[in-house]
């Protein structure tokens, strides 16, 4: 900006020092406010908790399904689906079945993913999926601790089923659900872990998605990288090569850190939310073969 003086001779406009100080102070205050908001509402960012009524399995054509209700240690009521083992090719059910405990992503709930869950249920394998606290039809508030409490309750309920062999419980986690899966694998006996689009931890995700904020303000842990180092059972890991939300590099670090046998399956050209459609029946059959 210039100011003309006298006979039109332009002279540079000099900002008053007070104005410069005010602008600088305003920017600093705005950044501090953003830091405070990020500190206060980071769980809401990680756990958007979409609500939806729990569908009745029989009304949507899932004959082997039933609605179940669990109560966490803190009294929170959870809603979920239990899918009884389906029969094999010979038509005979297994007297003692393997089971798959399913943990979905942060923007999902049972109402939105039940068609995928039923399609991915392996033959002769039981399946349990619960809405996290604050999600779907469950009560409570969505938090990291609440998700882990729900995982404990779901594992106990699944292991107590008379038709389930507790030595053959597998866990499946997608995106945010990978944190619940690795938590379960380090706190309960599991036969195998399936991870889809796993991230390393909350601090790394914050650095990737919110680079203007220092990672020291991150209160969440969600430490997949730390927990996978304690996992000794087989791990099947899927990751899209075009995933921009959770970079492939994070999945590679998880695979490299696992202490047990690992199979890494790259979903070519898949972004974060296209894995089921991109992977198709090959993805499903990999899950089936791993659980069997």
């Amino acid at each position: 900006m210039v100011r003309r003086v006298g006979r039109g001779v332009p002279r540079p406009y000099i900002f008053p020092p007070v104005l410069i100080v005010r602008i600088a102070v305003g920017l600093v205050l705005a950044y501090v406010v953003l830091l405070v908001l990020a500190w206060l509402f980071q769980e809401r960012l990680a756990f958007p908790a979409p609500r939806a009524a729990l569908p009745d399995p029989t009304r949507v054509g899932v004959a082997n399904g039933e609605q179940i209700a669990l109560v966490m240690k803190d009294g929170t009521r959870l809603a979920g689906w239990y899918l009884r083992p389906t029969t094999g090719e010979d038509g005979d059910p297994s007297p003692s079945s393997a089971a798959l405990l399913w943990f979905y992503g942060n923007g999902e709930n049972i109402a939105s993913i039940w068609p995928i869950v039923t399609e991915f249920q392996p033959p002769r394998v039981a399946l349990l999926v619960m809405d996290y606290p604050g999600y779907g039809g469950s009560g409570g508030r969505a938090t990291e601790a609440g998700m882990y409490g729900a995982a404990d309750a779901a594992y106990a309920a699944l292991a107590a089923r008379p038709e389930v062999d507790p030595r053959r419980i597998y866990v499946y986690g997608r995106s945010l659900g990978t944190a619940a899966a690795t938590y379960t694998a380090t706190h309960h006996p599991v036969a195998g872990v399936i991870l889809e689009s796993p991230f390393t931890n909350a601090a790394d995700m914050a650095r990737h998605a919110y680079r203007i904020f220092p990672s020291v303000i991150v209160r969440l842990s969600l430490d997949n990288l730390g927990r996978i180092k304690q996992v000794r059972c087989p791990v099947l890991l899927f990751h899209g090569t075009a995933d921009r939300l959770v970079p492939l590099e994070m999945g590679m670090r998880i695979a490299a850190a696992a202490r047990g046998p690992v199979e890494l399956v790259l979903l070519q050209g898949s972004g974060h939310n296209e894995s089921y459609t991109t992977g198709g029946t090959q993805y499903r059959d990999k899950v089936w073969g791993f659980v069997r």
Side-chain angles (χ1 to χ4, degrees), residues 125-145:
V125 174
L127 188 148
L128 177 64
V129 54
M130 303 297 301
D131 276 329
Y132 308 137
Y135 278 71
S138 291
R141 187 170 68 90
T143 64
E144 181 176 5

Side-chain angles (χ1 to χ4, degrees), residues 185-186 190-193 195 225-237 252-264 290:
T186 54
V190 299
V193 178
L195 303 175
L225 186 60
R227 287 194 292 259
I228 200 66
K229 296 175 182 178
Q230 305 172 46
V231 174
R232 305 289 178 177
C233 63
V235 175
L236 174 63
L237 194 153
M252 301 288 283
R253 288 175 64 189
I254 296 290
R259 293 294 184 260
V262 179
E263 181 178 3
L264 174 62
F290 182 77

Side-chain angles (χ1 to χ4, degrees), residues 171-278:
V171 291
Y172 170 97
R174 161 177 155 71
S175 191
L176 176 67
T178 60
T182 58
Y183 167 86
T184 303
T186 54
H187 287 76
H188 305 280
V190 299
V193 178
I194 305 169
L195 303 175
E196 202 255 278
S197 304
F199 53 89
T200 48
N201 52 51
D204 286 348
M205 281 298 296
R207 278 189 288 268
H208 170 69
Y210 305 101
R211 298 182 181 180
I212 65 170
F213 298 131
S215 58
V216 294
I217 71 167
V218 178
R219 291 182 288 109
L220 300 176
S221 174
L222 302 170
D223 190 10
N224 280 328
L225 186 60
R227 287 194 292 259
I228 200 66
K229 296 175 182 178
Q230 305 172 46
V231 174
R232 305 289 178 177
C233 63
V235 175
L236 174 63
L237 194 153
F238 297 91
H239 212 116
T241 59
D243 192 333
R244 295 183 178 179
L245 182 61
V246 180
L248 173 60
E249 181 266 340
M250 289 194 184
M252 301 288 283
R253 288 175 64 189
I254 296 290
R259 293 294 184 260
V262 179
E263 181 178 3
L264 174 62
V265 179
L266 299 182
L267 302 174
Q268 296 296 330
S270 176
H272 190 72
N273 294 316
E274 298 92 47
S275 54
Y276 296 129
T277 54
T278 302

Side-chain angles (χ1 to χ4, degrees), residues 45-113:
L45 292 173
F47 299 89
R51 286 287 192 179
L54 188 71
D56 184 336
T58 58
R59 291 187 177 182
V60 295
V62 183
N64 67 315
E66 62 180 89
Q67 291 179 323
I68 65 169
L70 300 178
V71 179
M72 291 169 50
K73 291 181 179 179
D74 65 359
T76 301
R77 295 185 62 83
L78 304 175
W81 270 23
Y82 175 71
L83 305 180
R84 296 181 296 277
T86 55
T87 58
E89 295 179 357
D90 56 8
D92 294 329
S94 173
S96 184
S97 301
L100 184 60
L101 184 54
W102 189 288
F103 298 111
Y104 51 63
N106 75 334
E108 301 171 333
N109 53 41
I110 296 174
S112 65
I113 65 160

